Amino acid sequence: MFEEFTRILIDANGTSIHLVHGGHGPPLLLLHGYPQTHVMWHKAAPLLAPHFTVVAPDLRGYGDSGKPPAPPGDLSVYCKRTTAADQVQIMARLGFDSFHVAGHDRGARVGHRMALDHPNRVRTLTSLDVVPSQAAFDKMDKDLSFAWFHWHLMRQPEPFPETLIGNSAKFYLDFLLERWCGIEGSITPEAYDEYLRCFSDPETIRATCLDYRGIELDLVHDEEDRGRRLTCPVLALWGSDTSKRPGWQTGASLDMLTVWRERAVDVRGRALACGHFLPEELPRETAGEIMKFLGVRPDS
């Protein structure tokens, strides 16, 4: 995986960020989600690299990036504002003052906060299978709560979720990957081995629980920005197959495009016939939609 990419570690914002980068053209930052790492882009990144300089990091707390400690009660270490600042700094270190962002799951939430906090840096935002956090918590219902059981578990005080997940990390990981995947066999053995290696680290479990606890501060920041709309163009893509994950993202009352259009002035998008892991389930279609959004013909 990522054979044509360069792998490096960059010190940024008080931690270390592990990433791969490669390709040619305008910079495109690819951000992964939970419970994965940058590896989730291993099928799509080579399709994008002929047209873009692709940068795919592990977010703080994930993969081989740093997992800094957080003082008790300090949510700022893993809030989206901090994680977004990490990415702005690594892109600057690579020589990019502005760039396109495509984020899946947690990565889309980081990208959304980045576009709010650093509007001159983010040229466009692509969100994969995510509604903005504020909208989801404003409209939380029984369907969405059921689908987001992991949010409510991981927000519990330590060491409760850390202990439960850590007692059978593989079982927990396997459940999430199977439940959220709509196209069987999409997660390759090589990718799975990397996910399991990283997720089995107790420090990853600790840090990712902190990431989810950070929603309390994320929502404070979101409330400060309530009503503010992104000025950069936004592409929203999502998986239409929710047969194994009813209530995912939208619950019974939210509509993906409507919610994003309340938060950005220029929004387009559509559903793809897959589950949650768009870049792994439908990599060619996902990369093609991103390329068209950014003005590149997929077959050029």
Side-chain angles (χ1 to χ4, degrees):
M1 295 182 291
F2 297 101
E3 289 82 4
E4 303 300 320
F5 288 69
T6 300
R7 189 175 302 274
I8 59 174
L9 198 66
I10 296 179
D11 290 333
N13 201 27
T15 191
S16 58
I17 301 296
H18 168 258
L19 62 89
V20 296
H21 67 96
H24 307 279
L28 172 59
L29 177 63
L30 302 179
L31 302 177
H32 68 85
Y34 181 83
Q36 299 170 304
T37 71
H38 76 281
V39 166
M40 71 161 298
W41 295 102
H42 74 102
K43 296 179 184 179
L47 302 175
L48 295 164
H51 310 283
F52 303 96
T53 300
V54 172
V55 180
D58 293 333
L59 299 174
R60 75 159 54 200
Y62 291 79
D64 292 312
S65 286
K67 301 164 181 66
D74 184 356
L75 301 177
S76 67
V77 178
Y78 286 91
C79 73
K80 299 301 167 293
R81 174 161 286 164
T82 299
T83 307
D86 295 346
Q87 302 306 317
V88 169
Q89 289 192 21
I90 67 163
M91 292 301 279
R93 298 279 178 86
L94 292 170
F96 304 124
D97 291 329
S98 66
F99 41 89
H100 302 286
V101 178
H104 174 260
D105 192 88
R106 309 301 285 172
R109 303 186 193 286
V110 174
H112 187 195
R113 175 44 58 189
M114 192 186 312
L116 287 167
D117 287 355
H118 308 276
N120 294 330
R121 303 279 191 174
V122 179
R123 300 181 190 178
T124 66
L125 173 64
T126 297
S127 167
L128 301 183
D129 213 45
V130 160
V131 296
S133 302
Q134 184 184 63
F137 278 88
D138 281 352
K139 297 290 186 178
M140 185 68 66
D141 58 21
K142 63 180 180 61
D143 296 324
L144 183 52
S145 184
F146 180 81
W148 277 17
F149 81 94
H150 61 297
W151 281 74
H152 306 306
L153 169 63
M154 296 168 70
R155 292 175 61 201
Q156 298 300 316
E158 63 177 328
F160 180 67
E162 290 90 341
T163 301
L164 292 184
I165 296 169
N167 280 344
S168 190
K170 182 180 185 301
F171 181 84
Y172 187 78
L173 175 68
D174 288 351
F175 176 82
L176 298 182
L177 295 180
E178 191 281 328
R179 192 74 174 175
W180 296 348
C181 188
I183 299 177
E184 186 176 352
S186 296
I187 298 176
T188 66
E190 295 82 5
Y192 174 78
D193 287 346
E194 274 297 289
Y195 298 148
L196 181 60
R197 176 184 70 83
C198 295
F199 196 77
S200 297
D201 181 355
E203 284 297 288
T204 297
I205 296 172
R206 175 191 63 80
T208 53
C209 287
L210 286 167
D211 177 28
Y212 274 82
R213 287 189 190 108
I215 186 61
E216 183 177 339
L217 183 55
D218 294 337
L219 290 174
V220 171
H221 295 154
D222 288 347
E223 188 61 33
E224 293 169 352
D225 287 319
R226 186 180 287 273
R228 182 179 163 202
R229 300 170 76 194
L230 300 181
T231 55
C232 68
V234 172
L235 172 66
L237 301 173
W238 63 96
S240 62
D241 183 357
T242 59
S243 57
K244 293 191 294 183
R245 52 190 187 120
W248 185 259
Q249 295 295 326
T250 57
S253 62
L254 297 177
D255 173 77
M256 190 73 74
L257 287 180
T258 299
V259 169
W260 276 109
R261 284 171 177 156
E262 291 171 350
R263 288 163 173 80
V265 298
D266 179 2
V267 178
R268 65 208 76 173
R270 69 182 186 93
L272 300 183
C274 63
H276 182 51
F277 303 115
L278 281 70
E280 291 177 282
E281 297 185 53
L282 293 176
R284 192 164 297 278
E285 290 86 341
T286 301
E289 290 292 332
I290 293 172
M291 284 189 272
K292 285 189 291 184
F293 175 53
L294 300 183
V296 174
R297 290 179 55 190
D299 57 352
S300 64

